[in-house]
Amino acid sequence: MAKKLLKVILIILGVILLCAAALILWLSVTEFNPGGVTDGDVMDVKVEANSEVSGLSPFLDEEFSVISWNIGYAGLGKDSDFFMDGGSNVSSADQDTVSASLLGIYKTLYSDADPATIFMLQEVDKNSSRTYGKDEAEILGINNSAYALNYSCRFVPYPVPPIGRVNSGLLTTTVYDIDSAERISLPCPFDWPVSTANLKRCLLVSYLPISGTDSKLVIVNLHLEAYDDGEGKIAQTKQLREFIRSEYEKGNYVIAGGDFNQIFPNGLEKYPNTHKENWEPGTISDDIMPEGWTLAYDLETPTCRLLNQPYDPSDTENTQYYVIDGFILSPNVELVSVNTLDEGFTYSDHNPVKLQVKLTSEK
């Protein structure tokens, strides 16, 4: 009897191991490898043009505004927690909640009495299980738009229940013309087989014409590494710094912005990290900016919350805030103002950040 039981157990273990090996093989064969995802590898991105807003471009010394927002795929609103942040849920929003959050995000972006002209969005899903197949890029990209995947996997097998199919990325949409756009691969800190079902971070770079000049306004939409040991963020930040400096040296105007997953200067003093056992972001290094550049961010309102539990601002002991979203401006882009829009984390675990700038003729 004991021998038969042992045999059954061994057969079951063998089947499990065989299935696991088959899954890893399948994930390896179908792994998302845009252009080989070599560091710095460049791929052209299709620009979706909206004829109703074509023919517009910014002028020198004219103010305009930019919004950056990690929308949390419209699935990480005020009622959500997330297993990677110390919470318990994998998919914490049902279909109706995703729809409601997506509508709220849309209205926040486009119903403002003083609307922005450039929008840089992160964690925008297309045909993902967690967002019930919705094409969020199409819904939110109502202007001239460029979209680049940074997470695409046919089936993410962890945790239990598994995440499932994911297609998510960066969306830049603007009333201005976009001459061209590129996806630039960033270093991936994860080794095989973890890399097969993990993010492939990138920069989404959009080149906008500037009226009366041959220079370009270079919009760099970014979402840097989150759940690594820190080395990934450092390597990705270094590549970002080198790229934006090279664009400025070409005579271009550069606005880089998004979710840095790194705390901006004095952010820890404003919002001390008391939950290091859950998730701890990196810290913006002192040398992130070339000399003469501007780091634009707002400490008065947090840009992100920890998803260790549903949002409860009255629970000050367990509610953790961060300032990890903002912008880098080249010396020829003058900062007028930057403000975090307090949406109460209703639709996402991030608040949008609004930037007011103007392009100057002096460098």
Side-chain angles (χ1 to χ4, degrees):
M1 182 67 181
K3 288 183 178 180
K4 287 184 178 181
L5 180 59
L6 178 60
K7 184 177 180 180
V8 170
I9 292 173
L10 290 175
I11 290 174
I12 293 173
L13 289 175
V15 171
I16 292 173
L17 290 174
L18 183 62
C19 290
L23 176 61
I24 292 173
L25 176 62
W26 179 69
L27 289 173
S28 300
V29 170
T30 60
E31 182 178 1
F32 175 57
N33 283 306
V37 293
T38 305
D39 300 353
D41 194 50
V42 179
M43 290 182 61
D44 290 336
V45 172
K46 182 180 179 182
V47 176
E48 300 288 349
N50 182 341
S51 60
E52 293 183 6
V53 296
S54 62
L56 298 177
S57 57
F59 290 85
L60 294 181
D61 297 317
E62 175 191 40
E63 289 189 16
F64 61 91
S65 54
V66 183
I67 284 180
S68 173
W69 194 1
N70 181 335
I71 67 166
Y73 51 87
L76 296 175
K78 61 184 177 62
D79 296 324
S80 299
D81 62 56
F82 189 56
F83 75 101
M84 292 292 284
D85 279 13
S88 59
N89 285 308
V90 179
S91 178
S92 51
D94 58 26
Q95 188 166 357
D96 289 343
T97 300
V98 170
S99 296
S101 293
L102 195 55
L103 178 60
I105 291 165
Y106 184 98
K107 289 181 176 180
T108 300
L109 293 174
Y110 300 122
S111 298
D112 194 338
D114 181 24
T117 53
I118 301 173
F119 303 88
M120 307 161 71
L121 309 180
Q122 303 88 43
E123 291 196 20
V124 181
D125 272 14
K126 280 187 173 186
N127 192 27
S128 297
S129 298
R130 64 190 182 183
T131 43
Y132 308 94
K134 296 183 184 301
D135 190 339
E136 298 178 344
E138 182 179 12
I139 294 169
L140 298 176
I142 65 172
N143 300 307
N144 299 317
S145 303
Y147 179 80
L149 288 170
N150 63 6
Y151 194 14
S152 183
C153 183
R154 296 188 183 186
F155 182 78
V156 180
Y158 55 82
V160 179
I163 295 173
R165 182 182 65 252
V166 175
N167 293 288
S168 190
L170 310 173
L171 174 68
T172 297
T173 182
T174 173
V175 299
Y176 298 134
D177 280 350
I178 302 176
D179 279 348
S180 63
E182 298 173 342
R183 182 197 190 280
I184 302 179
S185 295
L186 292 172
C188 179
F190 303 107
D191 297 325
W192 183 89
V194 175
S195 63
T196 62
N198 222 309
L199 286 96
K200 306 296 192 304
R201 305 280 182 176
C202 68
L203 305 176
L204 173 57
V205 183
S206 302
Y207 294 91
L208 282 58
I210 300 172
S211 293
T213 78
D214 294 328
S215 299
K216 303 293 185 184
L217 172 57
V218 184
I219 301 297
V220 184
N221 191 346
L222 60 94
H223 186 190
L224 302 185
E225 206 63 62
Y227 302 108
D228 67 318
D229 61 4
E231 293 302 313
K233 295 183 188 69
I234 293 171
Q236 292 170 3
T237 303
K238 179 181 178 182
Q239 184 175 317
L240 167 67
R241 186 179 189 273
E242 292 172 352
F243 174 76
I244 59 177
R245 182 167 56 184
S246 70
E247 287 296 329
Y248 173 64
E249 290 173 351
K250 294 175 185 177
N252 291 328
Y253 297 71
V254 182
I255 299 175
D259 180 356
F260 287 76
N261 272 315
Q262 298 169 76
I263 298 171
F264 282 77
N266 301 314
L268 281 175
E269 287 77 6
K270 179 74 173 181
Y271 307 104
N273 191 0
T274 58
H275 294 80
K276 295 182 180 181
E277 74 280 2
N278 290 325
W279 177 71
E280 184 177 15
T283 302
I284 294 282
S285 62
D286 294 335
D287 63 350
I288 188 175
M289 293 183 302
E291 185 178 353
W293 291 58
T294 301
L295 196 58
Y297 59 98
D298 175 22
L299 290 179
E300 293 306 308
T301 303
T303 70
C304 179
R305 74 174 181 93
L306 185 67
L307 285 162
N308 57 325
Q309 62 181 25
Y311 185 48
D312 182 3
S314 66
D315 184 1
T316 55
E317 181 179 351
N318 295 304
T319 299
Q320 176 67 54
Y321 298 115
Y322 310 102
V323 174
I324 59 176
D325 305 83
F327 302 88
I328 302 175
L329 313 178
S330 57
N332 49 5
V333 179
E334 180 182 329
L335 172 63
V336 177
S337 65
V338 59
N339 302 100
T340 302
L341 308 180
D342 191 355
E343 294 297 317
F345 302 108
T346 302
Y347 312 118
S348 171
D349 57 321
H350 289 251
N351 278 321
V353 183
K354 188 172 186 179
L355 176 77
Q356 192 81 13
V357 294
K358 65 179 179 178
L359 310 181
T360 65
S361 53
E362 296 183 4
K363 295 187 179 180

